[in-house]
Amino acid sequence: KELFRDSLALLQESIANDFVLSEAGHPPESSPGLYGDSRFFPATGTFWLGNTCNTWTAKKLSAAGIPLHRLTFSAGSVLRQLTDQAACQPAINN
């Protein structure tokens, strides 16, 4: 369980470090996103074909100790990699 807590902490820290914060340490106002209730928040980095939301997700999961290919162009590819890894891992009980 400790490994999972440590991995979650690494994931949270990696995500938090990408947000642009105000001087008070808070995220600035968000903008409406593309879908439903989604939102855009100011962040570091640049969006381009080689750095999409899917590659960002793979990088964040890698930072948490889940090795994924960083040039991942689709959500399906991210999910397949996670599924393949889960199939190779022994079942863990709470």
Side-chain angles (χ1 to χ4, degrees):
K1 289 183 181 179
E2 196 63 36
L3 176 63
F4 295 118
R5 284 190 197 117
D6 291 346
S7 293
L8 179 59
L10 288 170
L11 178 61
Q12 290 170 327
E13 181 180 350
S14 181
I15 291 170
N17 287 338
D18 276 0
F19 282 93
V20 172
L21 302 177
S22 69
E23 289 183 18
H26 302 289
E29 281 294 315
S30 62
S31 301
L34 299 175
Y35 309 104
D37 291 334
S38 67
R39 308 295 292 171
F40 286 115
F41 289 91
T44 62
T46 304
F47 180 89
W48 58 283
L49 180 60
N51 191 36
T52 66
C53 55
N54 299 306
T55 55
W56 180 87
T57 299
K59 287 176 190 174
K60 297 302 153 190
L61 291 170
S62 292
I66 303 169
L68 298 180
H69 299 292
R70 290 180 178 231
L71 287 177
T72 306
F73 294 109
S74 71
S77 178
V78 173
L79 292 173
R80 271 190 301 283
Q81 289 181 70
L82 290 171
T83 300
D84 290 348
Q85 286 193 26
C88 295
Q89 300 298 318
I92 299 174
N93 297 323
N94 295 333

